[in-house]
Structure formats: C-alpha cells, structure tokens
Amino acid sequence: MPTNKNALIRYKYLDSLLSDYHHYYDIHDLTEKVNDMLYEDGFPEVTQRCIEKDINTLEYAPFSAPIERFTKKGKRCIHYDNRSFSIFKKEISREEQNLLREVLSTIGQFDGLDNFGWLEDFKIGLRIEERRQIISFSNNRYLQNSNLLGILFDNISNEVVIRLSYHTFSDETIRSIDFHPYLLKQYNDRWFLLGAADSDQKILTFALDRIDKVEPLPEKKYIDCPEDIYERFDDIVGVTLYEDRPVEHIFCWVNDSSKGYVNTKPIHESYTPLKGDKDTELHEQYPNLEGGLFFYLDCIPNFELIRELCSFGGNLVVLSPESIRQEIKSRLTAQLKQYQD
C-alpha cells in the first residue's frame, strides 16, 4: 500500500468518478477532476502519472476494483464495469433506513416521477411498504411530458449536457439546441426547465410540455451555472425574466373581501402593506376607494404578474405605474368586448 497520506482521499474521489456512467472520462479528465476536488478541499494537486498509479492500485487487493478501459468516439475511457461497485460500500444503519423510508414514501407521492426506476428498486431493497397518502401535493394530471421529469432530473444531478428538441405554442416547427440544464421549477401546476445554451451560455427557460425530445450528450463538457440560478426569481412572479426590464415600484389597493387573501398569500415576496398614518393619507387621496388595504410590490413586470393582478378583477386596482395600469386596462377592455352581444 502507498504511504502517501493523501492517497485515500484520491481513492475516494476516483471511486465516485469511476462509478459515474453519465460521463466518459479518460485519464486526462480524471486527473483534472481529481485535482479540482483536491484544490477545493485544500490539498495539493497531483500529476497524471500519480492518478494512473492510483487506478492501477485500485485494481489489486485489497480493493480489487473491476476497472474497464474502452474507446468511445476515439476517446480512451475508464470506469468500473459494475456501476454499483464501490470500494467504500457499507451497510446503512437502522436510523438511516427509517429516515429513507419516510423520505422515499413522501417523494413517491409526487405525480410525474413514474420513470424513476431506481427509486422503486431502492424502495424494494429497503422493504418500504405501501402506505396511504397523507400529504397531497398540487399537480396537473393533464400536463404533457411529465415523464421527462425523471430524465431531466437525472441529467441535471449528473451534470450532463443535453440536446433539446422543442416547439412553441405558436409554431409547431421542431427546433433543437444543445443545453446545459440547471433547474426544474414548478409554477402554476406546470414544470419548467432552466439552463444555459451551449452556444453563448445565455440562460433560457423551456416549458416541459413544449419539449419533444431529450438526448444526453455525455461527450460534451458540462459548464456550471455562472450565477445563482435562484436569484433570477427574486424580482419576478413566475418564471419569465426580462433581463432588460428594471424593477418597478407597483402601488395597489385591494378591497375588504380580498385583502385577507392577499395578506396571507402575497403576490410577491416584496409585498408591503401600508398602515397607520400612511393608510389614512392614502384614503384621503383616493376617496372613491373605501376600506380595503393599500400596498406596494417591487418587482419586474412580466406576463405572470399581469395575469395575477387581473385575476382579482374589480377587487384590486393598480394605482401606479401608469404603464401597468394601461396594460391591465387594455386586457380588461378586450375581455369585456368579447362578452358584449
């Protein structure tokens, strides 16, 4: 056995990489990946020759790892020939089993995860019994392509570039794009995929029901998201972000019959009700708006925000800015015209 005190650390990194069937790693890739992990954990980097020796060591006792070398698209790749093999495999404790039973039973109640074959195998292996549903999540039973959730989850979690074939609501022409997937997000009972275009790393959003095909591209290098993907939702309602639009200070009034609903389910996290002297001052300024509640939002206007504001009908009035007032007025006028004889 080698005396290098960092050898076991490298073996741990190599064990995870050699078990990865979602990518095709050659010795150069393995060296780069291991050095990245060493650097992140504060250890010195090593040479490719060192990694080659480590892999040779893993092939013999006491590890006896079943390492396979094969060629894929001209690339000399290396991985375990048994994807379930690990030099660090151990039995999980009873407490861990109990926790996994609860977590898996909850996950199994989501619709759209039917294609998680490994999840079902895992449940069988742990002898997790069927149990009645005690938490009911909102879902759309008519959502198209919900079977893609498992495929996309798998590619995101394993950092695999994909080729998306898709079409839009207004155009059935199928287009394709090489795509680095980052996040699956649900909004209004629909699922959306966020990621970066391979060509220019621009962040894009695709509705799952507009996706026609997903093809993994394990030979392409996956690029991590250059930003905090969750911050994209800080200033918007829903999933549509117009990067060229500024945050607007949106001033509204809601009547007594809907103010409790808005208070307990704010339209946006920036929701701020106006009370006390400010409320009295505003009622003097807007004498036609009796009772109710004045509030403001700070967010970027988009389709989802306008639709949400319109959904309250006459129970909610946008007082400023004028651009949003006019957009809502145009929508309501068009809607009223369709109901006229």
Side-chain angles (χ1 to χ4, degrees):
M1 289 286 291
T3 58
N4 185 344
K5 65 179 181 180
N6 292 335
L8 280 177
I9 296 170
R10 297 196 304 274
Y11 296 164
K12 178 178 180 293
Y13 300 152
L14 281 170
D15 185 66
S16 65
L17 294 169
L18 294 171
S19 303
D20 183 354
Y21 272 61
H22 294 85
H23 300 89
Y24 300 133
Y25 294 131
D26 61 13
I27 189 64
H28 307 292
D29 298 325
L30 292 172
T31 303
E32 180 184 354
K33 291 284 186 182
V34 169
N35 277 328
D36 287 344
M37 296 176 186
L38 287 169
Y39 177 79
E40 289 179 4
D41 291 342
F43 297 104
E45 297 183 359
V46 297
T47 64
Q48 180 176 309
R49 181 59 183 156
C50 177
I51 297 301
E52 290 174 341
K53 289 182 178 179
D54 287 343
I55 293 173
N56 289 335
T57 299
L58 293 179
E59 290 188 271
Y60 298 97
F63 304 111
S64 301
I67 292 174
E68 177 186 15
R69 294 168 176 82
F70 61 99
T71 300
K72 188 72 175 181
K73 296 187 178 180
K75 191 174 184 179
R76 187 65 173 167
C77 305
I78 310 170
H79 67 190
Y80 291 147
D81 67 5
N82 178 357
R83 69 174 63 198
S84 64
F85 178 84
S86 171
I87 61 174
F88 296 100
K89 183 173 288 188
K90 69 179 184 69
E91 296 295 324
I92 63 174
S93 68
R94 179 176 295 276
E95 289 77 13
E96 290 170 329
Q97 286 190 40
N98 291 335
L99 177 60
L100 281 171
R101 284 192 181 96
E102 292 303 313
V103 171
L104 292 174
S105 294
T106 300
I107 293 175
Q109 293 173 18
F110 280 101
D111 285 347
L113 300 184
D114 307 353
N115 52 329
F116 279 39
W118 56 266
L119 178 61
E120 190 60 32
D121 293 341
F122 199 14
K123 291 167 66 176
I124 292 173
L126 291 176
R127 296 188 296 276
I128 297 178
E129 68 280 359
E130 291 295 325
R131 54 185 293 177
R132 67 182 180 86
Q133 184 173 338
I134 56 176
I135 301 177
S136 178
F137 294 93
S138 176
N139 66 83
N140 178 2
R141 69 178 64 185
Y142 303 108
L143 178 66
Q144 297 180 33
N145 294 347
S146 61
N147 61 301
L148 291 178
L149 280 171
I151 297 169
L152 293 170
F153 174 91
D154 191 46
N155 286 301
I156 293 171
S157 60
N158 289 286
E159 300 184 339
V160 178
V161 181
I162 58 177
R163 178 163 295 153
L164 283 183
S165 298
Y166 67 97
H167 64 280
T168 66
F169 278 117
S170 58
D171 186 355
E172 292 296 323
T173 303
I174 296 179
R175 300 174 174 84
S176 66
I177 183 174
D178 290 359
F179 195 69
H180 300 254
Y182 299 140
L183 177 69
L184 285 165
K185 181 174 177 62
Q186 188 183 39
Y187 173 72
N188 198 27
D189 287 344
R190 295 179 70 202
W191 283 95
F192 298 85
L193 171 68
L194 282 85
D198 185 59
S199 56
D200 57 8
Q201 291 303 294
K202 182 179 180 180
I203 301 296
L204 301 173
T205 303
F206 292 92
L208 258 64
D209 53 11
R210 301 295 91 194
I211 296 175
D212 298 283
K213 183 180 179 182
V214 176
E215 177 187 356
L217 302 174
E219 69 276 7
K220 302 200 73 166
K221 184 175 182 179
Y222 182 89
I223 300 175
D224 288 326
C225 186
E227 61 184 67
D228 184 342
I229 196 73
Y230 295 98
E231 288 185 357
R232 295 180 67 82
F233 306 107
D234 288 350
D235 296 325
I236 61 173
V237 174
V239 297
T240 306
L241 173 63
Y242 298 104
E243 298 187 12
D244 58 341
R245 293 185 182 179
V247 172
E248 297 269 15
H249 187 72
I250 304 167
F251 179 40
C252 305
W253 171 85
V254 61
N255 68 9
D256 286 324
S257 65
S258 292
K259 71 178 183 181
Y261 182 86
V262 172
N263 254 327
T264 55
K265 191 177 183 295
I267 297 170
H268 183 259
E269 62 182 23
S270 63
Y271 165 77
T272 304
L274 301 171
K275 302 177 180 179
D277 293 341
K278 187 63 178 177
D279 178 72
T280 302
E281 177 186 332
L282 289 168
H283 274 100
E284 292 174 355
Q285 184 179 349
Y286 299 96
N288 292 334
L289 301 177
E290 298 180 3
L293 174 72
F294 291 94
F295 68 91
Y296 68 82
L297 311 169
D298 289 316
C299 56
I300 298 173
N302 60 8
F303 172 80
E304 293 96 318
L305 172 67
I306 300 300
R307 183 177 60 186
E308 184 72 17
L309 293 171
C310 287
S311 70
F312 287 90
N315 293 337
L316 184 148
V317 178
V318 175
L319 301 171
S320 67
E322 188 61 26
S323 58
I324 294 181
R325 282 176 56 85
Q326 289 302 318
E327 183 169 355
I328 293 176
K329 182 178 179 180
S330 296
R331 290 195 181 199
L332 295 178
T333 300
Q335 185 177 10
L336 179 61
K337 185 176 180 180
Q338 291 179 329
Y339 278 94
Q340 291 175 342
D341 294 334

